[in-house]
Amino acid sequence: TGNYFQIHVAAYPEVHPQAVSADADFRNFRRKVEAGADAAITQYFYNAEAYFYFLDRCEKSGITIPVVPGIMPITQYAQLFRFSEMCGADIPRWLRKRLECLGDDRESIQAFGLEVVTRLCQQLLDNGAPGIHFYTMNQSAPTLKIIENVQLRRPSQG
C-alpha cells in the first residue's frame, strides 16, 4: 500500500483475556507482525511495567515495529471496572483501592484519574513510547486535559 495505508495490529501487554497463556498470546502477536503489520496499538493499561516488559520481549524476539501504548482516561470507577473486566485490562490494586475510597465522588475520581493518567503518559513518553493512543470513550475533555498536562511537563524545545 506504499505511503497511503498502514496496518496497525492489537497488542496485549497484560495478555489477551482469551489467550491460553502469555507465551501463546505473544506468538499470536508475532504472527500478526510477520504477516505485515506496520505498527501495533496496545490494549489500555495502567501499569507501565507491563508495557516495558512487552517491549523488552519484542526486542529480544527481533520485533522492531512501533508499539504505541493505549491509554484510557479515568472518569468513572464503576464503568472502568466493568469495562476492564470485560476486556481483560488490569487495574492495579493501589489504583483500584484509591478509586474505591473515592466512592461516587465523580469530581474527585476525575481529578485523581487525571493525575494518574498524566503521570503514566509522561512516564511512557519519557521512556521512548512512540506516542499515545487514547481510548476516549466519546469523552474528549479528559484526553485533551491529559495532552495539555503532558505538554506543560515536556522540556522546552528552545
Side-chain angles (χ1 to χ4, degrees):
T1 58
N3 295 326
Y4 297 107
F5 301 98
Q6 289 190 341
I7 298 172
H8 292 185
V9 296
Y12 295 86
E14 296 176 327
V15 183
H16 189 282
Q18 295 174 342
V20 295
S21 70
D23 287 339
D25 188 49
F26 193 79
R27 284 192 303 273
N28 188 49
F29 174 69
R30 182 181 201 68
R31 279 193 294 275
K32 292 187 281 188
V33 171
E34 290 169 352
D38 296 299
I41 299 172
T42 73
Q43 170 64 281
Y44 73 89
F45 59 87
Y46 299 104
N47 179 357
E49 291 306 314
Y51 173 75
F52 296 130
Y53 178 77
F54 186 79
L55 290 183
D56 286 345
R57 198 160 182 202
C58 287
E59 184 179 337
K60 289 174 183 170
S61 298
I63 295 172
T64 60
I65 65 169
V67 178
V68 179
I71 301 297
M72 188 166 72
I74 298 170
T75 58
Q76 296 178 36
Y77 177 63
Q79 177 189 25
L80 175 66
F81 184 76
R82 278 193 312 274
F83 198 66
S84 297
E85 285 288 311
M86 195 170 54
C87 67
D90 181 51
I91 303 172
R93 185 174 189 274
W94 70 268
L95 179 56
R96 190 177 64 247
K97 291 296 184 185
R98 178 73 172 119
L99 289 168
E100 287 170 359
C101 287
L102 295 172
D104 293 330
D105 184 349
R106 188 173 177 144
E107 189 174 308
S108 293
I109 289 172
Q110 289 176 348
F112 175 68
L114 184 63
E115 176 189 331
V116 167
V117 175
T118 295
R119 212 172 335 127
L120 174 61
C121 290
Q122 190 69 61
Q123 180 184 10
L124 293 166
L125 293 169
D126 287 349
N127 286 284
I132 304 287
H133 174 85
F134 286 101
Y135 293 97
T136 63
M137 307 300 287
N138 296 321
Q139 296 184 48
S140 62
T143 298
L144 292 171
K145 186 64 179 159
I146 293 164
I147 292 168
E148 178 184 327
N149 288 349
V150 170
Q151 290 299 330
L152 291 174
R153 293 181 182 187
R154 301 299 295 169
S156 65
Q157 302 295 321

